[in-house]
Amino acid sequence: QVQLVESGGGLVQAGDSLTLSCAASGLTFSTYAMGWFRQVPGKEREFVAAITSSGGSAYYADSVKGRFTISRDNAKQKVYLQMNSLKPGDTAVYYCAAKPENGRYYYTRVEYKYWGQGTQVTVSS
């Protein structure tokens, strides 16, 4: 079955950097666009970043643009989220997600078919 396993979360201070990883198995990774979403208690899960199946294009939420970078390694079946200049407002559970590549709807949560269990990122001020 499909598994997405996130790692790399933790407690950091404002201004620090952190890299999240997501290891995928059970799917043809190179045919799926990958995304990162985040969620805080009481709020909806929100889009953070996405990358096309080839890795040729990336998309970002305005709140993280210029600070976060999404990348992927299709040979290793992994996707990464490099997070720089972290702010307390970035505190959330971060989820990795996969959707079949169709050239659109990268920002749309319901389009993503598979989800990881999430990893906590806490940024202290």
Side-chain angles (χ1 to χ4, degrees), residues 33-61:
M34 299 298 295
W36 287 96
F37 290 74
R38 66 188 183 187
Q39 188 171 23
V40 298
K43 296 186 73 175
E44 287 195 356
R45 194 169 297 186
E46 66 173 7
F47 172 81
V48 175
I51 190 166
T52 57
S53 57
S54 67
S57 295
Y59 305 88
Y60 298 94

mmCIF file of all heavy atoms in Angstrom, residues 33-61:
data_model
loop_
_atom_site.group_PDB
_atom_site.id
_atom_site.type_symbol
_atom_site.label_atom_id
_atom_site.label_comp_id
_atom_site.label_asym_id
_atom_site.label_seq_id
_atom_site.Cartn_x
_atom_site.Cartn_y
_atom_site.Cartn_z
ATOM 1 N N ALA A 33 2.597 14.441 -8.486
ATOM 2 C CA ALA A 33 3.011 15.713 -7.913
ATOM 3 C C ALA A 33 2.981 15.563 -6.396
ATOM 4 O O ALA A 33 2.166 14.805 -5.862
ATOM 5 C CB ALA A 33 2.069 16.823 -8.350
ATOM 6 N N MET A 34 3.866 16.281 -5.739
ATOM 7 C CA MET A 34 3.972 16.192 -4.291
ATOM 8 C C MET A 34 3.742 17.552 -3.651
ATOM 9 O O MET A 34 4.150 18.585 -4.203
ATOM 10 C CB MET A 34 5.352 15.670 -3.888
ATOM 11 C CG MET A 34 5.669 14.286 -4.414
ATOM 12 S SD MET A 34 4.542 13.012 -3.812
ATOM 13 C CE MET A 34 4.920 13.021 -2.060
ATOM 14 N N GLY A 35 3.119 17.537 -2.509
ATOM 15 C CA GLY A 35 2.845 18.796 -1.817
ATOM 16 C C GLY A 35 3.133 18.701 -0.341
ATOM 17 O O GLY A 35 3.230 17.613 0.229
ATOM 18 N N TRP A 36 3.298 19.868 0.246
ATOM 19 C CA TRP A 36 3.382 20.004 1.701
ATOM 20 C C TRP A 36 2.238 20.910 2.148
ATOM 21 O O TRP A 36 1.994 21.965 1.554
ATOM 22 C CB TRP A 36 4.715 20.621 2.124
ATOM 23 C CG TRP A 36 5.889 19.713 1.994
ATOM 24 C CD1 TRP A 36 6.771 19.641 0.947
ATOM 25 C CD2 TRP A 36 6.328 18.735 2.944
ATOM 26 N NE1 TRP A 36 7.721 18.689 1.193
ATOM 27 C CE2 TRP A 36 7.475 18.115 2.419
ATOM 28 C CE3 TRP A 36 5.876 18.319 4.202
ATOM 29 C CZ2 TRP A 36 8.173 17.107 3.102
ATOM 30 C CZ3 TRP A 36 6.552 17.323 4.874
ATOM 31 C CH2 TRP A 36 7.687 16.738 4.330
ATOM 32 N N PHE A 37 1.566 20.472 3.189
ATOM 33 C CA PHE A 37 0.501 21.233 3.813
ATOM 34 C C PHE A 37 0.814 21.343 5.298
ATOM 35 O O PHE A 37 1.643 20.594 5.818
ATOM 36 C CB PHE A 37 -0.854 20.536 3.617
ATOM 37 C CG PHE A 37 -1.356 20.570 2.208
ATOM 38 C CD1 PHE A 37 -0.793 19.777 1.222
ATOM 39 C CD2 PHE A 37 -2.394 21.413 1.855
ATOM 40 C CE1 PHE A 37 -1.248 19.811 -0.098
ATOM 41 C CE2 PHE A 37 -2.863 21.462 0.553
ATOM 42 C CZ PHE A 37 -2.294 20.657 -0.419
ATOM 43 N N ARG A 38 0.144 22.252 5.988
ATOM 44 C CA ARG A 38 0.326 22.370 7.421
ATOM 45 C C ARG A 38 -0.995 22.683 8.101
ATOM 46 O O ARG A 38 -1.906 23.225 7.473
ATOM 47 C CB ARG A 38 1.376 23.420 7.769
ATOM 48 C CG ARG A 38 0.996 24.852 7.414
ATOM 49 C CD ARG A 38 2.191 25.773 7.635
ATOM 50 N NE ARG A 38 1.858 27.168 7.363
ATOM 51 C CZ ARG A 38 2.753 28.150 7.352
ATOM 52 N NH1 ARG A 38 4.047 27.894 7.598
ATOM 53 N NH2 ARG A 38 2.372 29.393 7.110
ATOM 54 N N GLN A 39 -1.049 22.338 9.374
ATOM 55 C CA GLN A 39 -2.289 22.518 10.108
ATOM 56 C C GLN A 39 -1.991 22.825 11.571
ATOM 57 O O GLN A 39 -1.121 22.192 12.179
ATOM 58 C CB GLN A 39 -3.164 21.263 10.005
ATOM 59 C CG GLN A 39 -4.558 21.428 10.569
ATOM 60 C CD GLN A 39 -5.438 20.235 10.254
ATOM 61 O OE1 GLN A 39 -4.969 19.131 10.000
ATOM 62 N NE2 GLN A 39 -6.754 20.459 10.243
ATOM 63 N N VAL A 40 -2.728 23.800 12.097
ATOM 64 C CA VAL A 40 -2.691 24.092 13.524
ATOM 65 C C VAL A 40 -4.056 23.753 14.101
ATOM 66 O O VAL A 40 -5.058 23.759 13.374
ATOM 67 C CB VAL A 40 -2.330 25.564 13.799
ATOM 68 C CG1 VAL A 40 -0.935 25.872 13.272
ATOM 69 C CG2 VAL A 40 -3.350 26.514 13.199
ATOM 70 N N PRO A 41 -4.122 23.451 15.379
ATOM 71 C CA PRO A 41 -5.406 23.060 15.972
ATOM 72 C C PRO A 41 -6.473 24.124 15.761
ATOM 73 O O PRO A 41 -6.230 25.319 15.932
ATOM 74 C CB PRO A 41 -5.056 22.911 17.461
ATOM 75 C CG PRO A 41 -3.616 22.556 17.471
ATOM 76 C CD PRO A 41 -3.010 23.337 16.338
ATOM 77 N N GLY A 42 -7.650 23.671 15.352
ATOM 78 C CA GLY A 42 -8.776 24.572 15.165
ATOM 79 C C GLY A 42 -8.825 25.268 13.829
ATOM 80 O O GLY A 42 -9.742 26.045 13.569
ATOM 81 N N LYS A 43 -7.830 24.988 12.975
ATOM 82 C CA LYS A 43 -7.816 25.624 11.661
ATOM 83 C C LYS A 43 -7.740 24.561 10.574
ATOM 84 O O LYS A 43 -7.325 23.427 10.821
ATOM 85 C CB LYS A 43 -6.625 26.574 11.554
ATOM 86 C CG LYS A 43 -6.682 27.730 12.528
ATOM 87 C CD LYS A 43 -5.564 28.721 12.294
ATOM 88 C CE LYS A 43 -5.752 29.545 11.061
ATOM 89 N NZ LYS A 43 -4.718 30.599 10.903
ATOM 90 N N GLU A 44 -8.115 24.971 9.376
ATOM 91 C CA GLU A 44 -8.065 24.040 8.249
ATOM 92 C C GLU A 44 -6.617 23.792 7.827
ATOM 93 O O GLU A 44 -5.745 24.640 8.012
ATOM 94 C CB GLU A 44 -8.854 24.609 7.061
ATOM 95 C CG GLU A 44 -10.356 24.565 7.245
ATOM 96 C CD GLU A 44 -11.098 24.793 5.942
ATOM 97 O OE1 GLU A 44 -10.448 25.066 4.925
ATOM 98 O OE2 GLU A 44 -12.338 24.702 5.957
ATOM 99 N N ARG A 45 -6.413 22.621 7.252
ATOM 100 C CA ARG A 45 -5.098 22.307 6.711
ATOM 101 C C ARG A 45 -4.854 23.217 5.503
ATOM 102 O O ARG A 45 -5.690 23.314 4.605
ATOM 103 C CB ARG A 45 -5.060 20.837 6.299
ATOM 104 C CG ARG A 45 -3.692 20.295 6.049
ATOM 105 C CD ARG A 45 -3.718 18.776 5.906
ATOM 106 N NE ARG A 45 -4.157 18.124 7.135
ATOM 107 C CZ ARG A 45 -4.161 16.798 7.298
ATOM 108 N NH1 ARG A 45 -3.754 16.002 6.316
ATOM 109 N NH2 ARG A 45 -4.562 16.274 8.439
ATOM 110 N N GLU A 46 -3.696 23.859 5.485
ATOM 111 C CA GLU A 46 -3.432 24.833 4.432
ATOM 112 C C GLU A 46 -2.247 24.426 3.564
ATOM 113 O O GLU A 46 -1.298 23.788 4.024
ATOM 114 C CB GLU A 46 -3.182 26.223 5.026
ATOM 115 C CG GLU A 46 -1.939 26.350 5.864
ATOM 116 C CD GLU A 46 -1.646 27.786 6.287
ATOM 117 O OE1 GLU A 46 -2.476 28.679 6.049
ATOM 118 O OE2 GLU A 46 -0.569 28.012 6.862
ATOM 119 N N PHE A 47 -2.323 24.853 2.324
ATOM 120 C CA PHE A 47 -1.265 24.593 1.353
ATOM 121 C C PHE A 47 -0.006 25.356 1.725
ATOM 122 O O PHE A 47 -0.065 26.525 2.112
ATOM 123 C CB PHE A 47 -1.752 25.019 -0.032
ATOM 124 C CG PHE A 47 -0.698 24.994 -1.091
ATOM 125 C CD1 PHE A 47 -0.351 23.809 -1.712
ATOM 126 C CD2 PHE A 47 -0.044 26.158 -1.457
ATOM 127 C CE1 PHE A 47 0.622 23.786 -2.698
ATOM 128 C CE2 PHE A 47 0.921 26.148 -2.440
ATOM 129 C CZ PHE A 47 1.250 24.955 -3.059
ATOM 130 N N VAL A 48 1.131 24.687 1.577
ATOM 131 C CA VAL A 48 2.426 25.330 1.808
ATOM 132 C C VAL A 48 3.235 25.391 0.514
ATOM 133 O O VAL A 48 3.676 26.464 0.100
ATOM 134 C CB VAL A 48 3.229 24.578 2.889
ATOM 135 C CG1 VAL A 48 4.632 25.175 3.030
ATOM 136 C CG2 VAL A 48 2.496 24.601 4.221
ATOM 137 N N ALA A 49 3.415 24.229 -0.122
ATOM 138 C CA ALA A 49 4.232 24.177 -1.329
ATOM 139 C C ALA A 49 3.913 22.909 -2.094
ATOM 140 O O ALA A 49 3.435 21.926 -1.519
ATOM 141 C CB ALA A 49 5.721 24.215 -0.977
ATOM 142 N N ALA A 50 4.192 22.930 -3.395
ATOM 143 C CA ALA A 50 4.000 21.747 -4.227
ATOM 144 C C ALA A 50 5.049 21.738 -5.322
ATOM 145 O O ALA A 50 5.601 22.787 -5.689
ATOM 146 C CB ALA A 50 2.603 21.721 -4.833
ATOM 147 N N ILE A 51 5.301 20.559 -5.837
ATOM 148 C CA ILE A 51 6.276 20.396 -6.914
ATOM 149 C C ILE A 51 5.722 19.397 -7.919
ATOM 150 O O ILE A 51 5.083 18.403 -7.536
ATOM 151 C CB ILE A 51 7.639 19.951 -6.349
ATOM 152 C CG1 ILE A 51 8.728 20.004 -7.418
ATOM 153 C CG2 ILE A 51 7.557 18.580 -5.690
ATOM 154 C CD1 ILE A 51 10.142 19.896 -6.860
ATOM 155 N N THR A 52 5.930 19.686 -9.185
ATOM 156 C CA THR A 52 5.425 18.796 -10.222
ATOM 157 C C THR A 52 6.163 17.463 -10.226
ATOM 158 O O THR A 52 7.219 17.326 -9.601
ATOM 159 C CB THR A 52 5.551 19.466 -11.592
ATOM 160 O OG1 THR A 52 6.929 19.823 -11.820
ATOM 161 C CG2 THR A 52 4.689 20.724 -11.684
ATOM 162 N N SER A 53 5.624 16.503 -10.936
ATOM 163 C CA SER A 53 6.178 15.155 -10.920
ATOM 164 C C SER A 53 7.619 15.116 -11.414
ATOM 165 O O SER A 53 8.428 14.325 -10.925
ATOM 166 C CB SER A 53 5.318 14.219 -11.766
ATOM 167 O OG SER A 53 5.212 14.703 -13.099
ATOM 168 N N SER A 54 7.940 15.966 -12.354
ATOM 169 C CA SER A 54 9.297 16.008 -12.905
ATOM 170 C C SER A 54 10.235 16.848 -12.060
ATOM 171 O O SER A 54 11.457 16.801 -12.227
ATOM 172 C CB SER A 54 9.275 16.586 -14.318
ATOM 173 O OG SER A 54 8.906 17.959 -14.273
ATOM 174 N N GLY A 55 9.663 17.638 -11.169
ATOM 175 C CA GLY A 55 10.466 18.581 -10.402
ATOM 176 C C GLY A 55 10.735 19.876 -11.130
ATOM 177 O O GLY A 55 11.457 20.732 -10.624
ATOM 178 N N GLY A 56 10.136 20.041 -12.278
ATOM 179 C CA GLY A 56 10.424 21.206 -13.093
ATOM 180 C C GLY A 56 9.771 22.494 -12.643
ATOM 181 O O GLY A 56 10.243 23.580 -12.984
ATOM 182 N N SER A 57 8.688 22.374 -11.900
ATOM 183 C CA SER A 57 7.984 23.573 -11.421
ATOM 184 C C SER A 57 7.601 23.398 -9.962
ATOM 185 O O SER A 57 7.291 22.288 -9.527
ATOM 186 C CB SER A 57 6.728 23.834 -12.245
ATOM 187 O OG SER A 57 7.040 24.148 -13.584
ATOM 188 N N ALA A 58 7.609 24.526 -9.247
ATOM 189 C CA ALA A 58 7.231 24.523 -7.836
ATOM 190 C C ALA A 58 6.263 25.670 -7.576
ATOM 191 O O ALA A 58 6.291 26.696 -8.283
ATOM 192 C CB ALA A 58 8.461 24.655 -6.946
ATOM 193 N N TYR A 59 5.439 25.477 -6.580
ATOM 194 C CA TYR A 59 4.409 26.454 -6.238
ATOM 195 C C TYR A 59 4.446 26.660 -4.726
ATOM 196 O O TYR A 59 4.666 25.701 -3.975
ATOM 197 C CB TYR A 59 3.033 25.942 -6.674
ATOM 198 C CG TYR A 59 2.984 25.578 -8.127
ATOM 199 C CD1 TYR A 59 3.338 24.306 -8.560
ATOM 200 C CD2 TYR A 59 2.612 26.510 -9.083
ATOM 201 C CE1 TYR A 59 3.321 23.965 -9.893
ATOM 202 C CE2 TYR A 59 2.583 26.180 -10.428
ATOM 203 C CZ TYR A 59 2.943 24.904 -10.825
ATOM 204 O OH TYR A 59 2.928 24.583 -12.158
ATOM 205 N N TYR A 60 4.201 27.910 -4.308
ATOM 206 C CA TYR A 60 4.306 28.234 -2.900
ATOM 207 C C TYR A 60 3.150 29.105 -2.432
ATOM 208 O O TYR A 60 2.640 29.936 -3.190
ATOM 209 C CB TYR A 60 5.620 28.989 -2.623
ATOM 210 C CG TYR A 60 6.854 28.189 -2.930
ATOM 211 C CD1 TYR A 60 7.486 28.296 -4.163
ATOM 212 C CD2 TYR A 60 7.385 27.309 -1.989
ATOM 213 C CE1 TYR A 60 8.613 27.553 -4.458
ATOM 214 C CE2 TYR A 60 8.518 26.560 -2.272
ATOM 215 C CZ TYR A 60 9.119 26.686 -3.504
ATOM 216 O OH TYR A 60 10.234 25.938 -3.790
ATOM 217 N N ALA A 61 2.785 28.927 -1.173
ATOM 218 C CA ALA A 61 1.872 29.866 -0.532
ATOM 219 C C ALA A 61 2.605 31.193 -0.362
ATOM 220 O O ALA A 61 3.818 31.224 -0.143
ATOM 221 C CB ALA A 61 1.426 29.322 0.822
#
